[in-house]
């Protein structure tokens, strides 16, 4: 892992002309703010929830989880142990960067399939749910190969792509876990996903969701970057991106290509090294099997 981190650090330093800390699991600061955003660190306290926002959350159907399904799909944020601690540490780093830069929309992707980006996105969402003053939305945008319904054992008919089309309401395609986490998923693949994600109505759809549910964090589970152009079609609508690399699978060249492409559209928050099977406890922060 040290060799991978060192190589990533050198690649970024060469590209941006600055030093990057190779020991940081979330390496690389954001490069720019989303257009029109501002930084405000004067008050970190969450305001009282407006009545209309509280009513919108209460109107969502509840999400019921089966412990066996959660364990099988490695949603570690809902289990005790070292892996949960690792996710919570990542949560803290993510929240710090998002607060300092006034970011709200976080995309999670990977260079190729099989890196575990949906598992990371889901565990991060449930880790955030344990912070009662943070409202979180987990939105499935891996429209060609949706997986969240299966991962979470959801039986309800959901199709978030219809929300993106503007043909159905968010409340009809999302479920609430507790009072502060909503999950929007899809049950069938979309064959025109790129056209949908680059549609002219996407900004209006996202802004409507934000007005209604006032989320502190919106997590977008994106498809693998190098599989198609869906991520690049949508990247301009998010504030920052986490890139999930698979140990012994993802190459330095793949990470570097993805970082360069993403940096042209949004802020690259960092790279998560996933599926590290043989690390000692001193590297537990990057251990997600």
């Amino acid at each position: 892992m040290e060799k991978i981190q060192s190589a990533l650090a050198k690649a970024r330093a060469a590209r941006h002309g600055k030093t990057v800390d190779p020991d940081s699991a979330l390496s690389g600061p954001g490069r720019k703010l989303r257009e029109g955003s501002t930084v405000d660190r004067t008050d970190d306290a969450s305001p009282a929830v407006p009545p209309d926002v509280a009513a919108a959350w209460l109107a969502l159907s509840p999400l019921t989880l089966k412990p066996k399904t959660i364990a099988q799909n490695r949603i570690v944020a809902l289990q005790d142990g070292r892996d949960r601690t690792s996710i919570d540490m990542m949560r803290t780093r993510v929240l710090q960067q998002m607060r300092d830069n006034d970011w709200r929309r976080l995309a999670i992707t990977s260079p190729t399939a099989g890196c575990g980006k949906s598992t990371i996105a889901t565990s991060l969402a449930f880790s955030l749910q344990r912070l009662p003053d943070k409202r979180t939305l987990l939105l499935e945008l891996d429209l060609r190969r949706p997986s969240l319904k299966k991962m979470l054992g959801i039986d309800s008919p959901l199709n978030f792509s219809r929300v993106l089309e503007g043909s159905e309401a968010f409340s009809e395609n999302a479920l609430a876990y507790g009072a502060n986490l909503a999950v929007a998923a899809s049950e069938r693949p979309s064959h025109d996903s790129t056209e949908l994600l680059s549609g002219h109505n996407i900004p209006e759809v996202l802004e409507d969701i934000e007005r209604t549910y006032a989320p502190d964090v919106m997590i977008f589970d994106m498809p693998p970057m190098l599989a198609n152009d869906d991520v690049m079609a949508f990247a301009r609508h998010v504030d920052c991106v986490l890139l999930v690399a698979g140990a012994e699978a993802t190459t330095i060249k793949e990470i570097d290509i993805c970082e360069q492409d993403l940096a042209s559209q949004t802020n690259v928050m960092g790279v998560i090294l996933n599926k590290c099977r043989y690390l000692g406890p001193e590297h537990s922060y990057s251990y997600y099997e």
Side-chain angles (χ1 to χ4, degrees), residues 22-52:
D23 293 327
S24 173
L26 292 178
S27 53
R31 296 182 175 88
K32 60 184 179 182
L33 289 176
R34 187 161 53 118
E35 185 177 355
S37 63
T38 59
V39 178
D40 182 5
R41 307 179 196 176
T42 58
D43 185 9
D44 292 334
S46 296
V49 181
D52 56 339

Side-chain angles (χ1 to χ4, degrees), residues 82-121:
R82 186 177 70 175
D83 292 346
R84 169 170 160 167
T85 301
S86 300
I87 286 288
D88 288 348
M89 292 174 67
M90 180 178 69
R91 173 193 68 190
T92 300
R93 294 289 300 277
V94 166
L95 282 177
Q96 287 173 345
Q97 289 200 42
M98 296 188 76
R99 182 193 64 226
D100 290 348
N101 292 284
D102 193 29
W103 294 338
R104 182 179 293 114
R105 301 176 184 178
L106 167 66
I108 298 182
T109 184
S110 59
T112 57
C115 295
K117 50 91 183 169
S118 293
T119 303
I120 293 291

Side-chain angles (χ1 to χ4, degrees), residues 97-173:
Q97 289 200 42
M98 296 188 76
R99 182 193 64 226
D100 290 348
N101 292 284
D102 193 29
W103 294 338
R104 182 179 293 114
R105 301 176 184 178
L106 167 66
I108 298 182
T109 184
S110 59
T112 57
C115 295
K117 50 91 183 169
S118 293
T119 303
I120 293 291
T122 305
S123 280
L124 178 59
F126 281 99
S127 180
L128 286 164
Q129 189 275 331
R130 287 189 280 107
L131 300 177
D133 62 336
K134 299 296 181 186
R135 291 182 296 276
T136 303
L137 302 181
L138 174 61
L139 311 174
E140 182 164 52
L141 291 188
D142 193 348
L143 302 178
R144 301 184 194 223
R145 299 185 63 181
S147 61
L148 292 187
K149 279 197 65 177
K150 182 177 180 181
M151 286 179 63
L152 297 175
I154 296 174
D155 298 324
S156 306
L158 303 177
N159 198 340
F160 185 55
S161 60
R162 291 175 183 160
V163 180
L164 299 174
E165 293 170 355
S167 60
E168 292 188 7
F170 180 84
S171 59
E172 298 173 5
N173 294 279

